[in-house]
Amino acid sequence: MRVIETKGLRKSFRSPLKKQGVLGAIQHLFKPEYREIVAVTDVDLSIEAGESVAYVGPNGAGKSTTIKMLTGILLPSGGEIRVNGLHPYKDRMRNSKNIGVVFGQRTQLWWDIPVIESFTLLRDIYEVPAKTYQDNLAYFTEMLGLDEFLNQSARRLSLGQRMRCDLAVALMHNPAIIFLDEPTIGLDVAVKERIREFLKTVNRERGVTLMLTSHDLDDIEDVCRRLIIIDTGRIIYDGSIQGLLDKYVKERSIRIIASAKIDRAGAARAMPAGVEIANSSEREMTVVFDRFRYTAKNVLEIIMKTVDVVDFQLEEPDIERVVKNVYEGRLELVREA
């Protein structure tokens, strides 16, 4: 069942054109001029219940604008949009009961009251049944380790503690979908890992649909199975993470450890076209090869003709390299059919 569907979704903003000084302000008052800024254009999305989707792109690509339209914060300029069968902006109250939202730089907690009181206030706002609330509170407290600071005010929480509370708040009313905009920004490694495990668990055990925007590529690889890349307001890739790597990453590498000093010149002469030494030290060497021409086994056999290999590590294609190349304009993607 599709829970998110858009066709030709667009969003543009009017930005005022003003000349400098008092005269420019007066002229704009009586004869205002504007220029149109297109943030999102022709975005088609179809997301099934229970999917975990990463929605990524460089700054200004249109990620947050899309999320704000899906959550009902912004009214689209054109196109069709449905979330659980509802128009998010026109049916904001009904839509809000079906979704959860976490913005990494904002909180739903009240600053000056204990966290548990924020929870009970939001329970009443969302009209969560008492048993559902108690069950969810117990579940999230255990999963996210909330018990140590439930009675502290939000003002006194660290960023990691606040983010764990915001995740609990977003899911307390059992939404079908949760939108997460940079949920791990600024967090330390341990908290990031805990949040990722939690998100994977609620997706797997509760069937909650996840839509995640993040610049942290570990979030994407660890939590999501589908990747959508947006750039300058348009979707340029929509498919699996592995599909992206298979299609656009040509090179693979093997790092080997030798029993004795490596003869780099001799090893280099043994390498055929499409296989080369990327770097080496006295007893270690990294070999890069065209994975569409050679298997790892082929390359190891070639290396072992000149090097006494005692250990090796095969390094898989790296999504970070691909997405970085897209952001920097060095790789043009074609959206999968």
Side-chain angles (χ1 to χ4, degrees):
M1 182 183 75
R2 292 175 186 167
V3 292
I4 298 174
E5 188 168 16
T6 72
K7 292 181 180 178
L9 185 64
R10 293 184 291 108
K11 182 61 183 178
S12 59
F13 301 92
R14 289 206 310 168
S15 177
L17 292 173
K18 293 182 181 178
K19 295 180 182 178
Q20 292 183 352
V22 177
L23 181 60
I26 294 172
Q27 287 178 339
H28 184 76
L29 180 64
F30 290 99
K31 192 177 180 181
E33 294 182 7
Y34 300 89
R35 67 186 177 96
E36 185 181 41
I37 299 175
V38 178
V40 170
T41 182
D42 296 329
V43 165
D44 295 341
L45 293 172
S46 180
I47 297 175
E48 300 288 326
E51 282 197 84
S52 51
V53 180
Y55 193 62
V56 305
N59 290 328
K63 305 185 301 295
S64 294
T65 301
T66 305
I67 296 296
K68 287 175 181 176
M69 288 190 284
L70 292 172
T71 55
I73 296 172
L74 290 177
L75 175 67
S77 302
E80 299 177 18
I81 181 170
R82 289 290 182 272
V83 176
N84 278 315
L86 302 173
H87 189 291
Y89 190 84
K90 294 177 182 176
D91 300 298
R92 292 183 70 177
M93 294 297 290
R94 292 170 63 197
N95 185 59
S96 67
K97 292 189 175 184
N98 293 328
I99 66 171
V101 180
V102 175
F103 290 108
Q105 298 297 320
R106 296 177 177 83
T107 183
Q108 296 186 65
L109 305 173
W110 277 263
W111 277 111
D112 297 311
I113 63 175
V115 169
I116 190 66
E117 292 186 24
S118 287
F119 284 4
T120 56
L121 283 168
L122 289 159
R123 173 200 65 191
D124 295 338
I125 289 171
Y126 283 100
E127 299 177 336
V128 182
K131 187 175 187 312
T132 300
Y133 172 75
Q134 291 299 329
D135 290 346
N136 283 344
L137 180 61
Y139 179 80
F140 298 142
T141 297
E142 180 182 357
M143 289 286 294
L144 293 167
L146 306 181
D147 51 349
E148 59 185 288
F149 46 82
L150 278 177
N151 293 307
Q152 294 183 29
S153 66
R155 185 183 297 279
R156 298 182 61 188
L157 302 184
S158 68
L159 179 60
Q161 291 171 334
R162 179 177 63 77
M163 184 53 61
R164 284 183 274 166
C165 291
D166 278 326
L167 284 168
V169 165
L171 290 160
M172 196 66 75
H173 57 293
N174 287 343
I177 309 166
I178 182 169
F179 297 96
L180 304 122
D181 193 3
E182 300 285 356
T184 63
I185 190 168
L187 303 182
D188 63 46
V189 173
V191 177
K192 285 184 179 184
E193 289 180 355
R194 186 164 200 163
I195 286 175
R196 289 172 191 148
E197 284 303 314
F198 174 74
L199 292 174
K200 288 189 291 185
T201 299
V202 296
N203 174 249
R204 181 179 64 251
E205 294 183 357
R206 296 191 164 204
V208 178
T209 304
L210 305 180
M211 189 165 183
L212 165 74
T213 76
S214 180
H215 284 96
D216 190 325
L217 295 172
D218 288 334
D219 288 350
I220 296 166
E221 288 191 282
D222 198 16
V223 175
C224 301
R225 293 187 294 274
R226 177 177 168 190
L227 176 65
I228 300 174
I229 301 178
I230 184 171
D231 193 19
T232 61
R234 295 178 182 274
I235 291 176
I236 58 174
Y237 178 82
D238 183 354
S240 69
I241 294 174
Q242 190 59 49
L244 177 72
L245 297 175
D246 289 345
K247 192 169 185 179
Y248 293 101
V249 180
K250 182 180 179 181
E251 294 180 343
R252 206 174 187 185
S253 61
I254 297 178
R255 186 173 68 87
I256 66 105
I257 298 174
S259 63
K261 184 178 180 180
I262 296 172
D263 176 8
R264 175 169 177 145
R269 286 193 296 270
M271 302 297 176
V275 181
E276 60 183 45
I277 300 172
N279 57 67
S280 66
S281 60
E282 187 172 294
R283 292 183 54 215
E284 292 189 15
M285 180 171 69
T286 300
V287 176
V288 177
F289 61 96
D290 182 340
R291 65 194 187 91
F292 297 112
R293 293 175 63 182
Y294 303 98
T295 65
K297 181 182 177 183
N298 297 150
V299 176
L300 271 173
E301 289 173 348
I302 294 167
I303 294 171
M304 291 172 70
K305 290 178 182 178
T306 57
V307 177
D308 185 12
V309 178
V310 295
D311 197 9
F312 70 92
Q313 180 178 358
L314 181 63
E315 297 179 355
E316 295 297 329
D318 186 358
I319 186 176
E320 183 169 2
R321 191 190 326 157
V322 180
V323 176
K324 184 173 183 289
N325 287 342
V326 173
Y327 288 179
E328 295 176 354
R330 296 202 298 264
L331 182 64
E332 183 177 349
L333 304 186
V334 178
R335 187 173 181 182
E336 291 185 350

CSV table of all heavy atoms in Angstrom, one decimal, residues 110-155:
chain,number,residue,atom,x,y,z
A,110,TRP,N,8.8,21.1,25.9
A,110,TRP,CA,8.7,22.4,26.5
A,110,TRP,C,10.0,22.6,27.4
A,110,TRP,O,10.3,21.7,28.2
A,110,TRP,CB,7.5,22.5,27.4
A,110,TRP,CG,6.2,22.9,26.6
A,110,TRP,CD1,5.7,24.1,26.5
A,110,TRP,CD2,5.4,22.0,25.9
A,110,TRP,NE1,4.6,24.1,25.7
A,110,TRP,CE2,4.3,22.8,25.3
A,110,TRP,CE3,5.4,20.6,25.6
A,110,TRP,CZ2,3.3,22.2,24.6
A,110,TRP,CZ3,4.4,20.1,24.8
A,110,TRP,CH2,3.4,20.9,24.3
A,111,TRP,N,10.6,23.7,27.2
A,111,TRP,CA,12.0,23.9,27.8
A,111,TRP,C,12.0,23.8,29.4
A,111,TRP,O,12.9,23.3,30.0
A,111,TRP,CB,12.5,25.2,27.4
A,111,TRP,CG,13.2,25.2,26.1
A,111,TRP,CD1,12.8,25.8,24.9
A,111,TRP,CD2,14.4,24.6,25.7
A,111,TRP,NE1,13.7,25.6,23.9
A,111,TRP,CE2,14.7,24.8,24.4
A,111,TRP,CE3,15.3,23.8,26.5
A,111,TRP,CZ2,15.8,24.3,23.7
A,111,TRP,CZ3,16.5,23.3,25.8
A,111,TRP,CH2,16.7,23.5,24.4
A,112,ASP,N,10.9,24.3,30.0
A,112,ASP,CA,11.0,24.6,31.4
A,112,ASP,C,10.2,23.6,32.3
A,112,ASP,O,10.1,23.8,33.5
A,112,ASP,CB,10.6,26.0,31.8
A,112,ASP,CG,11.5,27.1,31.1
A,112,ASP,OD1,12.7,26.9,31.3
A,112,ASP,OD2,11.0,28.0,30.5
A,113,ILE,N,9.8,22.5,31.7
A,113,ILE,CA,9.0,21.5,32.5
A,113,ILE,C,9.7,20.2,32.3
A,113,ILE,O,10.4,20.0,31.3
A,113,ILE,CB,7.5,21.4,32.1
A,113,ILE,CG1,7.4,21.0,30.7
A,113,ILE,CG2,6.8,22.8,32.3
A,113,ILE,CD1,5.9,20.7,30.3
A,114,PRO,N,9.5,19.2,33.2
A,114,PRO,CA,10.2,17.9,33.1
A,114,PRO,C,9.7,17.2,31.8
A,114,PRO,O,8.6,17.4,31.3
A,114,PRO,CB,9.7,17.1,34.3
A,114,PRO,CG,9.4,18.2,35.3
A,114,PRO,CD,8.9,19.4,34.5
A,115,VAL,N,10.6,16.4,31.2
A,115,VAL,CA,10.3,15.7,30.0
A,115,VAL,C,9.0,14.9,30.1
A,115,VAL,O,8.2,14.9,29.2
A,115,VAL,CB,11.5,14.8,29.7
A,115,VAL,CG1,11.2,13.8,28.5
A,115,VAL,CG2,12.7,15.6,29.3
A,116,ILE,N,8.8,14.2,31.2
A,116,ILE,CA,7.6,13.4,31.4
A,116,ILE,C,6.4,14.2,31.2
A,116,ILE,O,5.3,13.7,30.7
A,116,ILE,CB,7.7,12.6,32.7
A,116,ILE,CG1,6.6,11.6,32.7
A,116,ILE,CG2,7.6,13.5,33.9
A,116,ILE,CD1,6.7,10.5,31.7
A,117,GLU,N,6.4,15.5,31.7
A,117,GLU,CA,5.2,16.3,31.5
A,117,GLU,C,5.0,16.8,30.1
A,117,GLU,O,3.9,16.9,29.7
A,117,GLU,CB,5.3,17.6,32.5
A,117,GLU,CG,5.3,17.2,33.9
A,117,GLU,CD,5.3,18.4,34.9
A,117,GLU,OE1,4.9,19.5,34.4
A,117,GLU,OE2,5.7,18.3,36.0
A,118,SER,N,6.1,17.0,29.4
A,118,SER,CA,5.9,17.2,27.9
A,118,SER,C,5.3,16.0,27.2
A,118,SER,O,4.4,16.2,26.4
A,118,SER,CB,7.3,17.5,27.3
A,118,SER,OG,7.8,18.7,27.6
A,119,PHE,N,5.7,14.8,27.7
A,119,PHE,CA,5.1,13.6,27.1
A,119,PHE,C,3.6,13.6,27.4
A,119,PHE,O,2.8,13.2,26.5
A,119,PHE,CB,5.7,12.4,27.7
A,119,PHE,CG,7.1,12.1,27.1
A,119,PHE,CD1,7.7,12.9,26.2
A,119,PHE,CD2,7.8,10.9,27.5
A,119,PHE,CE1,9.0,12.6,25.7
A,119,PHE,CE2,9.0,10.6,27.0
A,119,PHE,CZ,9.6,11.5,26.2
A,120,THR,N,3.2,13.9,28.6
A,120,THR,CA,1.7,13.8,28.9
A,120,THR,C,0.9,14.9,28.2
A,120,THR,O,-0.2,14.6,27.8
A,120,THR,CB,1.5,13.9,30.4
A,120,THR,OG1,2.1,15.1,30.9
A,120,THR,CG2,2.1,12.7,31.1
A,121,LEU,N,1.5,16.0,28.0
A,121,LEU,CA,0.9,17.1,27.3
A,121,LEU,C,0.6,16.7,25.8
A,121,LEU,O,-0.5,16.8,25.3
A,121,LEU,CB,1.7,18.4,27.3
A,121,LEU,CG,1.6,19.2,28.6
A,121,LEU,CD1,2.6,20.3,28.7
A,121,LEU,CD2,0.2,19.8,28.8
A,122,LEU,N,1.7,16.1,25.2
A,122,LEU,CA,1.6,15.7,23.8
A,122,LEU,C,0.6,14.5,23.7
A,122,LEU,O,-0.1,14.3,22.7
A,122,LEU,CB,2.9,15.4,23.3
A,122,LEU,CG,3.8,16.6,23.0
A,122,LEU,CD1,5.3,16.3,23.0
A,122,LEU,CD2,3.3,17.3,21.8
A,123,ARG,N,0.6,13.6,24.8
A,123,ARG,CA,-0.4,12.5,24.8
A,123,ARG,C,-1.8,13.1,24.7
A,123,ARG,O,-2.6,12.6,23.9
A,123,ARG,CB,-0.2,11.8,26.1
A,123,ARG,CG,-1.3,10.7,26.3
A,123,ARG,CD,-1.4,10.3,27.8
A,123,ARG,NE,-1.9,11.5,28.6
A,123,ARG,CZ,-1.8,11.5,29.9
A,123,ARG,NH1,-1.3,10.5,30.6
A,123,ARG,NH2,-2.3,12.6,30.6
A,124,ASP,N,-2.1,14.1,25.4
A,124,ASP,CA,-3.4,14.7,25.4
A,124,ASP,C,-3.7,15.4,24.1
A,124,ASP,O,-4.8,15.4,23.6
A,124,ASP,CB,-3.6,15.7,26.6
A,124,ASP,CG,-3.5,15.0,27.9
A,124,ASP,OD1,-3.8,13.8,28.0
A,124,ASP,OD2,-3.2,15.7,28.9
A,125,ILE,N,-2.7,16.1,23.5
A,125,ILE,CA,-2.9,16.8,22.2
A,125,ILE,C,-3.2,15.8,21.1
A,125,ILE,O,-4.1,16.0,20.3
A,125,ILE,CB,-1.6,17.6,21.9
A,125,ILE,CG1,-1.5,18.8,22.8
A,125,ILE,CG2,-1.6,18.0,20.4
A,125,ILE,CD1,-0.1,19.5,22.7
A,126,TYR,N,-2.5,14.6,21.1
A,126,TYR,CA,-2.8,13.6,20.1
A,126,TYR,C,-3.9,12.6,20.5
A,126,TYR,O,-4.2,11.7,19.7
A,126,TYR,CB,-1.5,12.8,19.8
A,126,TYR,CG,-0.5,13.6,19.0
A,126,TYR,CD1,0.6,14.2,19.6
A,126,TYR,CD2,-0.6,13.7,17.6
A,126,TYR,CE1,1.5,14.9,18.8
A,126,TYR,CE2,0.3,14.3,16.8
A,126,TYR,CZ,1.4,15.0,17.4
A,126,TYR,OH,2.3,15.7,16.6
A,127,GLU,N,-4.4,12.8,21.7
A,127,GLU,CA,-5.5,12.0,22.1
A,127,GLU,C,-5.1,10.5,22.1
A,127,GLU,O,-5.8,9.6,21.6
A,127,GLU,CB,-6.8,12.2,21.3
A,127,GLU,CG,-7.3,13.6,21.4
A,127,GLU,CD,-8.5,13.9,20.5
A,127,GLU,OE1,-8.7,13.1,19.5
A,127,GLU,OE2,-9.3,14.8,20.8
A,128,VAL,N,-4.0,10.2,22.7
A,128,VAL,CA,-3.4,8.8,22.7
A,128,VAL,C,-4.1,8.1,23.9
A,128,VAL,O,-4.1,8.6,25.0
A,128,VAL,CB,-1.9,8.8,23.0
A,128,VAL,CG1,-1.4,7.4,23.0
A,128,VAL,CG2,-1.2,9.7,21.9
A,129,PRO,N,-4.7,6.9,23.6
A,129,PRO,CA,-5.4,6.1,24.7
A,129,PRO,C,-4.4,5.8,25.8
A,129,PRO,O,-3.2,5.7,25.5
A,129,PRO,CB,-5.8,4.9,24.0
A,129,PRO,CG,-6.0,5.3,22.5
A,129,PRO,CD,-4.9,6.3,22.3
A,130,ALA,N,-4.9,5.7,27.0
A,130,ALA,CA,-4.0,5.6,28.2
A,130,ALA,C,-3.1,4.3,28.1
A,130,ALA,O,-1.9,4.4,28.4
A,130,ALA,CB,-4.9,5.5,29.5
A,131,LYS,N,-3.7,3.2,27.7
A,131,LYS,CA,-2.9,2.0,27.6
A,131,LYS,C,-1.8,2.1,26.5
A,131,LYS,O,-0.7,1.7,26.7
A,131,LYS,CB,-3.8,0.8,27.3
A,131,LYS,CG,-3.0,-0.5,27.4
A,131,LYS,CD,-3.9,-1.8,27.2
A,131,LYS,CE,-3.1,-3.0,27.5
A,131,LYS,NZ,-1.8,-3.1,26.8
A,132,THR,N,-2.2,2.7,25.4
A,132,THR,CA,-1.2,2.8,24.3
A,132,THR,C,-0.1,3.7,24.8
A,132,THR,O,1.1,3.4,24.5
A,132,THR,CB,-1.9,3.5,23.1
A,132,THR,OG1,-2.9,2.7,22.6
A,132,THR,CG2,-0.9,3.7,21.9
A,133,TYR,N,-0.4,4.8,25.5
A,133,TYR,CA,0.6,5.7,26.0
A,133,TYR,C,1.6,5.0,27.0
A,133,TYR,O,2.8,5.1,26.9
A,133,TYR,CB,0.0,6.9,26.7
A,133,TYR,CG,1.0,7.8,27.4
A,133,TYR,CD1,1.8,8.6,26.7
A,133,TYR,CD2,1.0,7.8,28.8
A,133,TYR,CE1,2.7,9.4,27.4
A,133,TYR,CE2,2.0,8.6,29.5
A,133,TYR,CZ,2.8,9.4,28.8
A,133,TYR,OH,3.7,10.2,29.4
A,134,GLN,N,1.0,4.2,27.9
A,134,GLN,CA,1.8,3.5,28.9
A,134,GLN,C,2.7,2.5,28.3
A,134,GLN,O,3.9,2.3,28.6
A,134,GLN,CB,0.9,2.9,30.0
A,134,GLN,CG,0.2,3.9,30.9
A,134,GLN,CD,1.2,4.8,31.7
A,134,GLN,OE1,2.3,4.3,32.0
A,134,GLN,NE2,0.8,6.0,32.0
A,135,ASP,N,2.1,1.7,27.3
A,135,ASP,CA,2.9,0.7,26.6
A,135,ASP,C,4.1,1.3,25.8
A,135,ASP,O,5.2,0.9,25.9
A,135,ASP,CB,2.0,-0.1,25.7
A,135,ASP,CG,1.1,-1.0,26.4
A,135,ASP,OD1,1.3,-1.2,27.6
A,135,ASP,OD2,0.1,-1.5,25.8
A,136,ASN,N,3.8,2.4,25.1
A,136,ASN,CA,4.8,3.1,24.3
A,136,ASN,C,5.8,3.8,25.2
A,136,ASN,O,7.0,3.7,24.9
A,136,ASN,CB,4.2,4.1,23.4
A,136,ASN,CG,3.5,3.5,22.2
A,136,ASN,OD1,3.7,2.4,21.8
A,136,ASN,ND2,2.6,4.3,21.5
A,137,LEU,N,5.4,4.4,26.3
A,137,LEU,CA,6.4,5.0,27.2
A,137,LEU,C,7.4,4.0,27.7
A,137,LEU,O,8.6,4.2,27.8
A,137,LEU,CB,5.6,5.7,28.3
A,137,LEU,CG,6.5,6.4,29.4
A,137,LEU,CD1,7.3,7.5,28.7
A,137,LEU,CD2,5.7,7.0,30.5
A,138,ALA,N,6.9,2.8,28.1
A,138,ALA,CA,7.7,1.8,28.6
A,138,ALA,C,8.7,1.3,27.6
A,138,ALA,O,9.9,1.1,27.8
A,138,ALA,CB,6.9,0.6,29.2
A,139,TYR,N,8.2,1.1,26.4
A,139,TYR,CA,9.0,0.6,25.2
A,139,TYR,C,10.1,1.6,24.9
A,139,TYR,O,11.2,1.2,24.7
A,139,TYR,CB,8.0,0.3,24.0
A,139,TYR,CG,8.7,-0.2,22.8
A,139,TYR,CD1,9.0,-1.5,22.7
A,139,TYR,CD2,9.0,0.7,21.7
A,139,TYR,CE1,9.7,-2.0,21.5
A,139,TYR,CE2,9.6,0.2,20.6
A,139,TYR,CZ,9.9,-1.1,20.5
A,139,TYR,OH,10.5,-1.6,19.3
A,140,PHE,N,9.7,2.8,24.7
A,140,PHE,CA,10.7,3.8,24.3
A,140,PHE,C,11.7,4.1,25.4
A,140,PHE,O,12.9,4.4,25.2
A,140,PHE,CB,10.0,5.1,23.9
A,140,PHE,CG,9.1,5.0,22.7
A,140,PHE,CD1,7.9,5.7,22.6
A,140,PHE,CD2,9.4,4.1,21.7
A,140,PHE,CE1,7.1,5.5,21.5
A,140,PHE,CE2,8.6,4.0,20.6
A,140,PHE,CZ,7.4,4.7,20.5
A,141,THR,N,11.2,4.1,26.7
A,141,THR,CA,12.2,4.3,27.8
A,141,THR,C,13.3,3.2,27.8
A,141,THR,O,14.4,3.5,28.0
A,141,THR,CB,11.4,4.3,29.1
A,141,THR,OG1,10.5,5.4,29.1
A,141,THR,CG2,12.3,4.5,30.3
A,142,GLU,N,12.9,2.0,27.6
A,142,GLU,CA,13.8,0.9,27.6
A,142,GLU,C,14.7,1.0,26.3
A,142,GLU,O,16.0,0.9,26.4
A,142,GLU,CB,13.1,-0.5,27.6
A,142,GLU,CG,14.1,-1.6,27.6
A,142,GLU,CD,13.4,-3.0,27.5
A,142,GLU,OE1,12.1,-3.0,27.6
A,142,GLU,OE2,14.1,-4.0,27.5
A,143,MET,N,14.1,1.2,25.2
A,143,MET,CA,14.9,1.2,23.9
A,143,MET,C,15.9,2.4,23.8
A,143,MET,O,17.0,2.2,23.3
A,143,MET,CB,14.0,1.3,22.7
A,143,MET,CG,13.2,0.0,22.5
A,143,MET,SD,14.2,-1.3,21.8
A,143,MET,CE,14.6,-0.6,20.2
A,144,LEU,N,15.5,3.5,24.3
A,144,LEU,CA,16.3,4.7,24.2
A,144,LEU,C,17.0,5.2,25.5
A,144,LEU,O,17.7,6.2,25.5
A,144,LEU,CB,15.4,5.9,23.7
A,144,LEU,CG,14.8,5.7,22.3
A,144,LEU,CD1,13.7,6.7,22.0
A,144,LEU,CD2,15.9,5.9,21.2
A,145,GLY,N,16.7,4.4,26.6
A,145,GLY,CA,17.4,4.8,27.8
A,145,GLY,C,17.0,6.1,28.4
A,145,GLY,O,17.8,7.0,28.7
A,146,LEU,N,15.7,6.3,28.5
A,146,LEU,CA,15.1,7.6,28.9
A,146,LEU,C,15.0,7.8,30.4
A,146,LEU,O,14.9,8.9,30.9
A,146,LEU,CB,13.8,7.9,28.2
A,146,LEU,CG,13.7,7.8,26.7
A,146,LEU,CD1,12.2,8.1,26.3
A,146,LEU,CD2,14.6,8.7,26.0
A,147,ASP,N,15.0,6.7,31.1
A,147,ASP,CA,14.6,6.8,32.6
A,147,ASP,C,15.5,7.7,33.4
A,147,ASP,O,15.1,8.3,34.4
A,147,ASP,CB,14.6,5.4,33.2
A,147,ASP,CG,15.9,4.6,32.9
A,147,ASP,OD1,16.7,5.1,32.1
A,147,ASP,OD2,16.1,3.5,33.5
A,148,GLU,N,16.8,7.9,33.0
A,148,GLU,CA,17.7,8.7,33.8
A,148,GLU,C,17.4,10.2,33.7
A,148,GLU,O,17.9,10.9,34.6
A,148,GLU,CB,19.1,8.4,33.4
A,148,GLU,CG,19.4,8.8,31.9
A,148,GLU,CD,20.8,8.4,31.4
A,148,GLU,OE1,21.7,9.1,31.8
A,148,GLU,OE2,20.9,7.4,30.7
A,149,PHE,N,16.6,10.6,32.7
A,149,PHE,CA,16.4,12.1,32.6
A,149,PHE,C,14.9,12.4,32.4
A,149,PHE,O,14.6,13.6,32.0
A,149,PHE,CB,17.3,12.7,31.6
A,149,PHE,CG,17.3,12.0,30.3
A,149,PHE,CD1,16.4,12.1,29.3
A,149,PHE,CD2,18.4,11.1,30.0
A,149,PHE,CE1,16.4,11.5,28.1
A,149,PHE,CE2,18.5,10.5,28.8
A,149,PHE,CZ,17.5,10.6,27.8
A,150,LEU,N,14.0,11.5,32.6
A,150,LEU,CA,12.6,11.8,32.3
A,150,LEU,C,12.1,12.9,33.2
A,150,LEU,O,11.1,13.7,32.9
A,150,LEU,CB,11.7,10.5,32.6
A,150,LEU,CG,11.6,9.5,31.4
A,150,LEU,CD1,10.8,8.3,31.8
A,150,LEU,CD2,11.0,10.2,30.2
A,151,ASN,N,12.6,13.1,34.4
A,151,ASN,CA,12.2,14.1,35.4
A,151,ASN,C,13.0,15.4,35.3
A,151,ASN,O,12.8,16.3,36.2
A,151,ASN,CB,12.2,13.5,36.8
A,151,ASN,CG,11.1,12.4,36.9
A,151,ASN,OD1,10.0,12.6,36.6
A,151,ASN,ND2,11.6,11.2,37.4
A,152,GLN,N,13.9,15.5,34.3
A,152,GLN,CA,14.6,16.7,34.2
A,152,GLN,C,13.9,17.6,33.1
A,152,GLN,O,13.2,17.1,32.2
A,152,GLN,CB,16.0,16.4,33.7
A,152,GLN,CG,16.9,15.7,34.6
A,152,GLN,CD,18.3,15.5,34.1
A,152,GLN,OE1,18.8,16.3,33.3
A,152,GLN,NE2,19.0,14.5,34.6
A,153,SER,N,14.1,18.9,33.2
A,153,SER,CA,13.5,19.8,32.2
A,153,SER,C,14.3,19.7,30.9
A,153,SER,O,15.6,19.4,31.0
A,153,SER,CB,13.6,21.3,32.7
A,153,SER,OG,14.9,21.7,32.9
A,154,ALA,N,13.7,20.0,29.8
A,154,ALA,CA,14.3,19.9,28.5
A,154,ALA,C,15.6,20.8,28.4
A,154,ALA,O,16.5,20.5,27.7
A,154,ALA,CB,13.4,20.2,27.4
A,155,ARG,N,15.5,21.9,29.1
A,155,ARG,CA,16.6,22.9,29.1
A,155,ARG,C,17.9,22.3,29.6
A,155,ARG,O,19.0,22.7,29.2
A,155,ARG,CB,16.2,24.1,30.0
A,155,ARG,CG,17.2,25.2,29.9
A,155,ARG,CD,16.8,26.3,30.9
A,155,ARG,NE,15.5,26.9,30.5
A,155,ARG,CZ,15.3,27.8,29.6
A,155,ARG,NH1,16.4,28.3,28.9
A,155,ARG,NH2,14.1,28.3,29.3
